[in-house]
Amino acid sequence: MKNLLSLEKLPRADFAHILRDSSVFKKERAAHANQPLAGQTWALMFSKSSTRTRVSFEVGIRELGGESLFLSANDIQLGRGEPIRDTARVLGRMVHGAVIRTFAQNDVEEFAAFSKIPTINALTDDEHPCQVLADIFTFEEKCGPIAGRVVTFIGDGACNMPVSWIFAAAKLGFELRIAAPRAFQPAPEILKRAGGNIICTEDLRAAASGADLLYTDVWVSMGREAEAAERLKVLCGYQINTGLVQLAKPGALVMHCLPAYRGKEIDAETFEAHAGTIFTQAENRLHVQKAILNWCVAG
Ligand code: CP
Ligand code: NVA
């Protein structure tokens, strides 16, 4: 039994294992001989909105032979203040695994420790490991090994997406450039913990030059809505647009974890020009989620 709580803690060999299995699950969609979740019920406990993560896990669990139970935090006692460790001890006696989307990273860690069932981080304020695994799978599917390549993240460099990219870069050996205003650069402590080849800059044109992949995410992450006006002001300009794409390597990929806000972190023209990649990236959440679930219950 394993947990996927953060990419920081995911061993390099397990990264490779999940990426390899994702490709098998994609090829064998809906035709798996093996049903690793047969007889199991998994809880999806979400305190934030979700389209891709929720649907990919619900469908993925079903396709692996299991059943899922969607628990909105607003509808269960957790939302009225029941401690996470008590919720964990109850669910741990009733379900076989949990997929959790919440605010504090500590809540998924505490849930895993107290429930003693496989627990997957489906996004916290600190990390979005399932998304970055799907992103890397998508990159490698289209362009080959990511090791030695250049990935440039543009926008809010301190939110969950770039942090998961930071931990992946150190493990998989690619160069990661993060272009963000000074107030939205990753915490030095995270960069130190991760190691790897990570360049943080305010200069988005320099960061985009020669990149193999340009990546962005919303300027206002879930839970940061009260800061929206200030964020839009400071992040304005940190946009992937036609001019910026021209600086990247010819044929460079453009990716977005979605949902996308046209005219903010990406312009409409660039979004549509790269929609094929972006929606394959979204589809790959399903195949990668299945590989993660399978990895959690194996051995
Ligand atoms: N990218 C992503 O996690 O999408 P959802 O918020 O819709 O799950
Ligand atoms: N940084 C974004 C990611 C959404 C998938 C958020 O946390 O809202």
Side-chain angles (χ1 to χ4, degrees):
M1 180 215 107
K2 299 183 209 76
N3 302 314
L4 179 64
L5 304 179
S6 113
L7 290 188
E8 180 176 16
K9 294 184 186 135
L10 185 66
R12 203 180 302 254
D14 292 10
F15 253 103
H17 179 95
I18 291 170
L19 294 170
R20 251 194 333 269
D21 265 10
S22 302
S23 153
V24 177
F25 279 117
K26 185 164 185 174
K27 277 197 208 93
E28 295 177 357
R29 170 93 200 270
H32 311 296
N34 102 14
Q35 299 268 283
L37 302 190
Q40 298 199 1
T41 300
W42 279 59
L44 268 68
M45 198 169 80
F46 279 39
S47 304
K48 292 175 175 172
S49 305
S50 173
T51 300
R52 282 143 288 269
T53 308
R54 176 178 175 177
V55 175
S56 58
F57 270 109
E58 291 210 30
V59 173
I61 289 167
R62 203 166 307 152
E63 290 188 1
L64 295 181
E67 296 198 23
S68 66
L69 194 63
F70 185 78
L71 303 171
S72 161
N74 294 331
D75 298 336
I76 57 174
Q77 298 289 5
L78 183 73
R80 298 181 64 244
E82 183 168 20
I84 190 88
R85 60 181 60 192
D86 294 354
T87 309
R89 282 179 282 190
V90 173
L91 292 190
R93 287 163 184 248
M94 295 187 185
V95 300
H96 302 90
V99 179
I100 301 180
R101 171 167 284 202
T102 190
F103 296 86
Q105 177 71 20
N106 191 52
D107 282 353
V108 289
E109 314 253 350
E110 195 170 318
F111 186 96
F114 279 84
S115 68
K116 300 189 171 62
I117 54 175
T119 302
I120 297 173
N121 175 356
L123 181 148
T124 62
D125 291 345
D126 289 12
E127 272 217 53
H128 196 0
C130 299
Q131 178 70 55
V132 170
L133 281 162
D135 299 338
I136 291 170
F137 174 71
T138 308
F139 181 89
E140 295 198 330
E141 191 179 37
K142 291 182 174 292
C143 304
I146 199 165
R149 312 297 275 275
V150 177
V151 175
T152 297
F153 180 95
I154 313 270
D156 176 4
C159 76
N160 40 22
M161 286 306 313
V163 171
S164 287
W165 271 107
I166 287 169
F167 291 124
K171 296 252 166 75
L172 301 185
F174 56 89
E175 178 178 323
L176 178 65
R177 303 176 185 162
I178 296 180
R182 194 182 298 255
F184 292 97
Q185 300 224 344
E189 182 256 333
I190 286 174
L191 296 170
K192 200 165 141 209
R193 246 164 54 203
N197 184 8
I198 318 237
I199 296 158
C200 297
T201 175
E202 289 177 80
D203 184 347
L204 71 165
R205 292 177 66 81
S209 290
D212 295 285
L213 166 61
L214 298 180
Y215 194 103
T216 192
D217 179 17
V218 295
W219 287 344
V220 184
S221 284
M222 293 180 279
R224 300 288 186 173
E225 291 78 7
E227 303 164 9
E230 179 62 15
R231 284 174 165 262
L232 299 193
K233 210 163 70 193
V234 179
L235 283 152
C236 178
Y238 283 85
Q239 182 189 71
I240 298 187
N241 52 35
T242 319
L244 201 74
V245 173
Q246 277 164 7
L247 301 173
K249 209 171 259 177
L253 297 186
V254 172
M255 288 195 196
H256 193 309
C257 57
L258 301 174
Y261 293 84
R262 275 96 161 158
K264 296 204 166 55
E265 72 275 3
I266 190 162
D267 72 347
E269 200 185 332
T270 306
F271 184 88
E272 290 309 329
H274 294 270
T277 303
I278 292 169
F279 290 105
T280 297
Q281 186 191 351
E283 178 202 322
N284 283 341
R285 294 294 307 278
L286 170 64
H287 313 301
V288 174
Q289 246 64 282
K290 285 160 82 174
I292 294 169
L293 288 161
N294 188 44
W295 171 83
C296 280
V297 296

